[in-house]
Amino acid sequence: QVQLVESGGGLVQAGGSLRLSCAASGQTFSSYTMGWFRQAPGKERECVAAITWSGGNIYYASSVTGRFTISRDNAKNTVYLQMISLKPEDTAIYYCAATRAYSSRYYLTALYDYWGQGTQVTVSS
């Protein structure tokens, strides 16, 4: 079992920045691939970034490449999502998730076993 708690969401103007954090507790955090997902009203949940246990493999959705950076600190059991140049279309609830599965497709929602409760990010124009 892994418990995930997101923080760092909020209201920001377009062009601004936010850093989301996801603190994990429970079983060995360093053995999990971690993902950040988002879900806007009326839309499906999508993966924006994922990072394997060592940080050796990282995935970004094309819509956030160059603006979002995922990182992890295994000593602190925490994964981060640094977001810059935010756009109104980035508005969504952001969730972190964990999986121990091995895959080349870490963007798949179904791959993840554990989810946080989400944190709201609102970008005003």
Side-chain angles (χ1 to χ4, degrees):
Q1 285 280 353
V2 175
Q3 293 79 43
L4 304 172
V5 179
E6 303 96 335
S7 61
L11 173 64
V12 64
Q13 289 189 332
S17 301
L18 283 174
R19 188 176 82 154
L20 306 183
S21 299
C22 173
S25 60
Q27 292 186 356
T28 308
F29 171 78
S30 61
S31 65
Y32 287 83
T33 288
M34 301 299 296
W36 280 101
F37 291 74
R38 68 185 180 187
Q39 188 166 20
K43 295 188 176 181
E44 291 187 357
R45 190 171 297 190
E46 63 171 347
C47 182
V48 295
I51 185 169
T52 53
W53 68 274
S54 67
N57 288 304
I58 292 177
Y59 163 84
Y60 291 108
S62 59
S63 58
V64 307
T65 298
R67 299 188 300 119
F68 290 12
T69 302
I70 189 171
S71 62
R72 66 189 296 161
D73 185 337
N74 289 338
K76 295 183 178 180
N77 286 3
T78 302
V79 62
Y80 305 97
L81 186 68
Q82 178 68 50
M83 305 184 293
I84 65 171
S85 302
L86 283 161
K87 305 175 181 180
E89 51 263 43
D90 294 318
T91 295
I93 299 174
Y94 282 71
Y95 301 89
C96 71
T99 180
R100 297 184 74 172
Y102 289 96
S103 175
S104 61
R105 298 186 292 174
Y106 285 115
Y107 53 84
L108 293 176
T109 304
L111 202 63
Y112 291 80
D113 303 305
Y114 303 101
W115 294 83
Q117 82 290 347
T119 185
Q120 177 71 47
V121 172
T122 303
V123 185
S124 63
S125 57

